[in-house]
Amino acid sequence: MANLGYPFTLGVASGEPLPDGVVIWTRLAPEPLGRDPARPGGMPDRIVPVGWQVAEDEGFRRIVRQGTARADRRWAHSVHVRVDGLNPGSDYFYRFSVGAPFAATTSPAGRTRTAPAAGAVTPVRFAFVSCQRYEHGHFTALRHLADERPDAVLQLGDYVYEYGRPAAPGPGRYVRRLEAPEEECRTLQQYRNRYARYRTDPDLQAAHRAAPWIATWDDHEVRDNYRGALPGDGSDPAAFRRRRAAAYQAYYEHLPLRVRPSASGLQMHRWRPYGRAADFLVLDVRQHRTAASMLGGAQEEWLLARLAGSAARWKVLVQPLFFSRRFVPGPPPNLRADAWDGYPEFRRRVTGAGVRGLVVVSGDVHNAWAGELRADFADPASPPAGVEFVGSSVTSMPPATDSAAVLAANPHLRFFDGRRGYVVCTAGVDGFHAAYRAVDFVDRPGSPVRTAAGFAVRDDRLVPDAV
Ligand SMILES: [Fe+2]
């Protein structure tokens, strides 16, 4: 049989850490941008056995788990192995192997880490990122994030953008080429190749190799501003349901998720406990959205019950959208209907529930912000109800923002930074700290990284922190 080429062009990844296990991922794609829909990734239509190993050491001398998975064309020859039986709060290394007729047999190794045991007081050090638009720039921020080797990486949506090449790109808005033919994604093959384009990026691969990821999506994994089963632009709902199903499948095929999509969708909202330090409550703000509810009734009830039942010091809402009130002075609309300002009743149920240690992490707006939550944002005397850290984009260009006017009109917001970057946080039983990292440029590789600001949380308020 002819040599099939190098199979691990998309790297390796891990995710969904629990105290006793993680998911490890790869996808065989010797031709990652191949355009034959019958051979996704340039793979033949057969099941390929993929060996996997998990070791305690980087040299794979102390292997603790191993096995063989089946890579099937049905899932674009992606492999998601649920590894269990691991020790809590521990580093592990993993890799994959294939036999002939591939040109190489062993993948690069990734480093992962399990969550701490249920009663553990170990702090968790995590980073969060969002909005990595490939054509807007280089993923240098992810390279610096990888160097920090956090315990986990939270991805808050816009992992890919569905857009094709714009007819007349503005300055800084087309510095890297998408995969040919540079069209907007609508079909499974197009979404697969868009993920493959992103995943061939060495900085993104490094960030996946460095730590387990816990991801949730926003809109651009499918289509700009879609809501639930509706496209958001009035076009044919039946065609959009097929498009959404294709997009969800490609998302699953390229991320280390525990759960597969079914005919009805893909469950994204979930709870990831980190001992007594933090509960991560991962939200899905798109799939179940209606005109009346951002999350849909079932997810709303789940979240309120989880918040009420959490014994962890910090309850971290992991979700894409600006949560605090953000009044933008000038001509209306002054509040954005697509963010939580469009759903103030449920937001008040969260901020008014008396939750101690509520921390919201978010993205979407392509600039960095930080602020305090209020039980009632309309009342300046309302008590603080937690904090929000809004991370900047990895590369996506921001809209023009009069940040001074927004900060003046929203006294609960305390910080703005207009550079691209990410945020790294430490959540422990005795404190929460966040450091904003920023890169100087993304239109070419090699930017240094700087710390833009640091904050701690004290009595549900934001205080400056030495960095
Ligand atoms: Fe975005």
Side-chain angles (χ1 to χ4, degrees):
M1 196 183 294
N3 188 310
L4 283 172
Y6 180 68
F8 300 111
T9 56
L10 306 180
V12 300
S14 73
E16 300 303 309
L18 297 175
D20 67 344
V22 295
V23 172
I24 58 174
W25 173 96
T26 193
R27 181 189 157 203
L28 307 179
E31 297 166 36
L33 306 181
R35 284 158 65 181
D36 179 355
R39 301 177 72 241
M43 287 291 291
D45 182 13
R46 60 181 171 85
I47 289 170
V48 177
V50 180
W52 56 270
Q53 292 180 319
V54 174
E56 290 175 342
D57 65 305
E58 214 158 355
F60 289 85
R61 282 178 292 274
R62 298 192 304 278
I63 292 169
V64 293
R65 287 284 180 281
Q66 55 189 329
T68 302
R70 292 154 55 91
D72 188 338
R73 190 182 69 165
R74 167 78 180 81
W75 302 102
H77 292 95
S78 62
V79 170
H80 301 72
V81 181
R82 296 183 189 188
V83 183
D84 59 14
L86 303 180
N87 293 322
S90 303
D91 277 6
Y92 290 96
F93 300 87
Y94 61 94
R95 64 186 179 189
F96 299 92
S97 61
V98 291
F102 292 98
T105 57
T106 306
S107 75
R111 172 257 183 185
T112 191
R113 186 172 178 83
T114 51
V121 296
T122 327
V124 51
R125 188 162 180 275
F126 65 94
F128 67 91
V129 293
S130 61
C131 297
Q132 45 193 38
R133 189 161 171 180
Y134 186 89
E135 65 271 33
H136 279 187
H138 294 267
F139 295 158
T140 315
L142 295 176
R143 174 70 64 171
H144 291 298
L145 181 161
D147 291 342
E148 299 203 36
R149 283 166 80 97
D151 297 337
V153 175
L154 311 178
Q155 209 284 340
L156 308 182
D158 292 354
Y159 186 96
V160 296
Y161 285 73
E162 82 284 13
Y163 297 124
R165 180 178 185 159
R173 287 172 190 264
Y174 204 80
V175 304
R176 294 204 289 178
R177 292 182 72 86
L178 295 168
E179 75 287 353
E182 303 197 288
E183 293 168 340
E184 180 169 340
C185 297
R186 295 172 191 281
T187 67
L188 179 57
Q189 187 204 5
Q190 288 173 318
Y191 283 110
R192 280 173 169 162
N193 280 13
R194 183 58 50 87
Y195 281 93
R197 164 45 94 205
Y198 280 55
R199 273 301 190 81
T200 53
D201 181 277
D203 296 332
L204 180 54
Q205 289 194 7
H208 277 293
R209 275 201 313 275
W213 284 41
I214 301 169
T216 188
W217 52 33
D218 195 13
D219 53 344
H220 287 291
E221 288 84 354
V222 181
R223 183 195 184 282
D224 185 31
N225 277 341
Y226 85 96
R227 293 166 174 238
L230 295 174
D233 65 349
S235 61
D236 176 28
F240 180 70
R241 277 198 295 279
R242 289 191 296 275
R243 178 178 179 179
R244 195 185 85 159
Y248 284 7
Q249 175 164 347
Y251 183 83
Y252 167 77
E253 288 170 352
H254 294 86
L255 282 151
L257 302 181
R258 284 189 180 272
V259 179
R260 261 184 192 172
S262 69
S264 59
L266 173 54
Q267 176 163 341
M268 290 297 287
H269 69 273
R270 58 205 191 273
W271 169 54
R272 292 287 170 256
Y274 270 72
R276 283 173 54 193
D279 276 341
F280 294 104
L281 300 163
V282 184
L283 306 186
D284 176 346
V285 300
R286 292 288 165 190
Q287 185 173 199
H288 308 294
R289 195 185 295 200
T290 67
S293 170
M294 173 84 84
L295 304 179
Q299 189 181 183
E300 285 185 356
E301 295 313 310
W302 167 86
L303 174 60
L304 293 171
R306 271 280 168 225
L307 285 171
S310 171
R313 176 66 186 86
W314 306 101
K315 292 83 173 169
V316 183
L317 259 53
V318 180
Q319 57 90 47
L321 300 175
F322 211 107
F323 191 81
S324 303
R325 180 178 166 90
R326 188 174 58 140
F327 184 91
V328 179
N334 305 102
L335 296 173
R336 196 167 146 214
D338 186 48
W340 283 98
D341 274 328
Y343 300 85
E345 296 82 8
F346 183 72
R347 179 173 65 188
R348 194 172 304 125
R349 289 183 70 189
V350 173
T351 56
V355 176
R356 181 171 169 265
L358 181 62
V359 174
V360 179
V361 295
S362 54
D364 177 50
V365 293
H366 304 174
N367 282 313
W369 301 79
E372 292 174 356
L373 309 178
R374 291 277 179 269
D376 179 359
F377 283 102
D379 174 7
S382 179
V387 297
E388 178 173 15
F389 299 110
V390 184
S392 189
S393 57
V394 171
T395 53
S396 305
M397 295 293 281
T401 303
D402 185 348
S403 57
V406 175
L407 289 169
N410 299 273
H412 55 277
L413 298 181
R414 300 289 168 72
F415 168 73
F416 171 86
D417 190 89
R419 291 171 286 182
R420 317 279 68 69
Y422 62 97
V423 184
V424 59
C425 303
T426 303
V429 291
D430 55 2
F432 192 106
H433 303 266
Y436 283 74
R437 308 277 199 245
V439 292
D440 294 346
F441 51 84
V442 297
D443 60 346
R444 57 198 189 281
S447 173
V449 67
R450 304 172 195 285
T451 298
F455 297 98
V457 183
R458 195 163 300 145
D459 300 328
D460 290 325
R461 294 173 191 272
L462 211 53
V463 295
D465 192 22
V467 288

